[in-house]
Amino acid sequence: MKPITERQFGWLFRRGERLAFLPGDESAPGAQAGARAVYLRYAYRLRGSEIPIFPGVLVDDWGQERRDLGLYRWVYEEGQRFPRTEIFGYERDGSETQVFLRALETFMTLPCFVYEKRSLPVDAGRQLYAVFLPDEHHQGEPARVAVPAEAGWPLRQAAVRWLRANPDTLGDAGWEILD
């Protein structure tokens, strides 16, 4: 079993302890050139706690398995009808776990952790603070905006801030790119 992982392309930025992601296109020319693969993992929280559980596989009441990003949308849309559904996955320290869906906070935003390689263990991830929406006309500090309609699942449900930012001025706002 492996934790469900989403590959995205872009750049990671850091300001103090906070980590942000600027999406990009791996094959784009010009300013977007050089985007690299980063890997995102989304966790559910155990009910009544902040303990993250990273799904690897979901087994519903009929024994059907889900092992891909579609798991998150299924839980959001169908999960309340199937509280005995089981999720097999990982705790933050990387240890394997098994929980019933009813034991998880399924309507809260999902903590999102970023990894520089798909093969890294769960405990090597760093929590993502923000996603930048590039806007070359934006001036000043990155500004909070609503989740864009085109954001895919489960990133649109992630516990991150969405910030409009000019990629060329992120350094002026104290954000440094991670190599």
Side-chain angles (χ1 to χ4, degrees), residues 6 11 22 37 46 71 83 91 96 108 125 127 133 136 156:
E6 178 180 28
W11 300 268
L22 173 65
L46 279 176
L71 172 149
E91 294 183 16
E96 290 188 12
M108 293 181 70
Q127 192 160 1
L133 297 175
E136 69 245 14
R156 72 176 299 106

Side-chain angles (χ1 to χ4, degrees), residues 50-146:
E50 292 293 316
I51 298 170
I53 302 295
F54 297 84
V57 63
L58 174 146
V59 180
D60 69 19
D61 293 9
W62 296 283
Q64 295 178 4
E65 295 182 359
R66 287 174 171 62
R67 297 176 179 267
D68 60 15
L69 291 169
L71 172 149
Y72 296 96
R73 190 166 194 155
W74 186 91
V75 167
Y76 183 81
E77 293 175 351
E78 304 289 338
Q80 290 297 305
R81 296 179 29 209
F82 303 100
R84 292 183 311 220
T85 293
E86 292 180 276
I87 289 190
F88 298 83
Y90 301 88
E91 294 183 16
R92 181 75 177 108
D93 65 3
S95 60
E96 290 188 12
T97 190
Q98 171 184 352
V99 296
F100 285 112
L101 203 52
R102 66 177 170 249
L104 300 176
E105 298 284 0
T106 58
F107 286 111
M108 293 181 70
T109 54
L110 305 167
C112 180
F113 294 80
V114 65
Y115 301 80
E116 294 182 25
K117 295 180 184 174
R118 181 184 296 271
S119 61
L120 288 174
V122 169
D123 62 350
R126 295 178 289 172
Q127 192 160 1
L128 198 60
Y129 168 77
V131 175
F132 292 129
L133 297 175
D135 178 354
E136 69 245 14
H137 303 293
H138 180 78
Q139 295 182 9
E141 289 279 327
R144 198 155 190 182
V145 294

